[in-house]
Amino acid sequence: MAASFSINAACLEGRPSIDDELRTSTAVAVITPTKMKYLQEDLEDPIGITATLYTLRLDRVLRGRLPQRFHIRDENTSSRFPMAIGVPYLAFVYSARNGYGINSCGNSGPLKERNRVLKHLLDIKEESKHVR
């Protein structure tokens, strides 16, 4: 399984358009968290949670490539992207040298709340078939 990170942005630049995020993301997929673990790494605050480590299952790839199972470390900051176990998410996934992340300011979210985004992505995918 690949190790991962969370994108930490305070949404200062607002929400990117679907097309902009599609261009800048590494992959777009439907993912489902299967496990989560709270990380308590700050010795000064042994009760505090530093981050959440999610184990994710890849359900469907819309663009790009991802492993069938991977992790995302979601830092406990104001820009965290909390996920519920067993709930499918439409995710614009980013990569860097140390793993994968999801921009909490972007268009990712629970699949049932992202029907408009999913339809837009499927329309783009269908149009690209006819352009070739």
Side-chain angles (χ1 to χ4, degrees), residues 9-10 12 16 24-25 34 38 42 70 76 83 102 104 122:
L12 299 174
T24 59
S25 62
T34 58
Y38 294 120
D42 185 353
F70 61 103
N76 190 16
M83 294 184 274
I102 297 172
S104 63
L122 292 174

Side-chain angles (χ1 to χ4, degrees), residues 93-112:
V93 179
Y94 295 84
S95 66
R97 67 187 169 133
N98 60 343
Y100 299 103
I102 297 172
N103 180 353
S104 63
C105 297
N107 293 287
S108 300
L111 183 59
K112 68 180 180 177

Side-chain angles (χ1 to χ4, degrees), residues 5 18-19 21 24 26 36 39 42 52-53 56 58 61-62 65 71 80 83 95 104 108 114 117-118 120 122 132:
F5 72 100
I18 297 168
D19 293 334
E21 196 164 22
T24 59
T26 300
M36 75 177 205
L39 304 177
D42 185 353
T52 305
L53 184 65
L56 302 163
L58 180 62
V61 175
L62 298 166
R65 289 187 177 171
H71 293 101
R80 65 187 167 274
M83 294 184 274
S95 66
S104 63
S108 300
R114 294 297 188 262
V117 177
L118 179 60
H120 183 80
L122 292 174
R132 296 178 180 173

Side-chain angles (χ1 to χ4, degrees), residues 109-127:
L111 183 59
K112 68 180 180 177
E113 297 173 12
R114 294 297 188 262
N115 289 327
R116 181 184 64 81
V117 177
L118 179 60
K119 182 182 180 325
H120 183 80
L121 294 170
L122 292 174
D123 288 348
I124 290 170
K125 195 172 184 177
E126 186 62 29
E127 287 172 15

Side-chain angles (χ1 to χ4, degrees), residues 14-102:
R15 184 180 303 271
S17 72
I18 297 168
D19 293 334
D20 285 346
E21 196 164 22
L22 183 61
R23 273 190 297 279
T24 59
S25 62
T26 300
V28 181
V30 176
I31 58 173
T32 301
T34 58
K35 293 181 190 173
M36 75 177 205
K37 178 181 179 182
Y38 294 120
L39 304 177
Q40 297 174 304
E41 303 163 321
D42 185 353
L43 298 178
E44 307 264 324
D45 184 9
I47 297 172
I49 296 171
T50 310
T52 305
L53 184 65
Y54 292 100
T55 302
L56 302 163
R57 178 186 70 227
L58 180 62
D59 298 324
R60 180 179 182 187
V61 175
L62 298 166
R63 187 182 74 74
R65 289 187 177 171
L66 290 167
Q68 270 311 114
R69 294 206 181 276
F70 61 103
H71 293 101
I72 285 183
R73 176 190 169 101
D74 194 32
E75 298 297 325
N76 190 16
T77 66
S78 61
S79 64
R80 65 187 167 274
F81 187 81
M83 294 184 274
I85 301 302
V87 174
Y89 289 81
L90 176 62
F92 289 78
V93 179
Y94 295 84
S95 66
R97 67 187 169 133
N98 60 343
Y100 299 103
I102 297 172

